[in-house]
Amino acid sequence: MVGSSSWHTIDQKQIDLFADATLDHQWIHVDNDRASIESPYGSTIAHGYLTLALIPYLWKQIALVQNVSLEINYGIEDLRFGMPVKVNSEVSLQATVRSVNDLRGMVKVIVGARLVIKDESKPAYTGNVVFLYQFR
């Protein structure tokens, strides 16, 4: 493993802002009262795509890639969601560099990504994140 990021709390404000940005206002994400009664999780949960959107932020806490003129989030491979992230949960990215390849001017890096949830035995997700870097 290359390393782990610091813990990041996903609060209701972040979930609500993500719902606004993606137009996904499903009650299980944004309605605290209903979720506390009807949800099998007893609270609202973060959007799965919100947890994925944290990857670039958390990855930068793990690895410092210098002299980069362009960085592209190229894709995600073999992604599996393991369990939902309840509101106010703390998450951390655990990363492993799987491969580094020169693509004639760009460098393709595949990072094994595992988002762990504090005090939970299963991760929120596992998969491989693909970044493209162009260096100065």
Side-chain angles (χ1 to χ4, degrees):
M1 181 167 64
V2 172
S4 297
S5 70
S6 62
W7 291 102
H8 174 78
T9 302
I10 299 179
D11 62 16
Q12 191 62 50
K13 180 179 178 182
Q14 186 173 30
I15 293 170
D16 291 344
L17 288 170
F18 191 85
D20 289 344
T22 60
L23 306 177
D24 181 357
H25 295 94
Q26 190 177 167
W27 67 266
I28 200 158
H29 302 303
V30 299
D31 188 334
N32 292 308
D33 294 336
R34 184 173 176 187
S36 67
I37 297 167
E38 295 182 39
S39 167
Y41 311 110
S43 68
T44 56
I45 58 171
H47 302 72
Y49 290 123
L50 165 56
T51 64
L52 292 175
L54 292 172
I55 290 173
Y57 167 72
L58 298 172
W59 170 241
K60 285 177 177 54
Q61 294 178 16
I62 298 168
L64 174 62
V65 182
Q66 297 182 331
N67 298 316
V68 173
S69 60
L70 177 66
E71 176 182 348
I72 297 171
N73 299 322
Y74 192 64
I76 299 174
E77 302 169 343
D78 303 319
L79 176 74
R80 296 291 179 265
F81 287 104
M83 68 181 311
V85 177
K86 295 179 186 179
V87 67
N88 298 319
S89 291
E90 292 180 80
V91 297
S92 173
L93 182 67
Q94 295 177 343
T96 304
V97 174
R98 302 263 190 238
S99 66
V100 179
N101 294 296
D102 184 0
L103 302 177
R104 297 177 301 239
M106 298 288 282
V107 175
K108 178 181 174 183
V109 179
I110 299 179
V111 176
R114 177 184 160 123
L115 191 72
V116 296
I117 307 166
K118 190 178 255 184
D119 300 325
E120 295 289 347
S121 60
K122 291 178 63 177
Y125 57 74
T126 59
N128 295 313
V129 182
V130 184
F131 295 108
L132 296 180
Y133 293 102
Q134 185 175 50
F135 293 93
R136 291 187 182 97

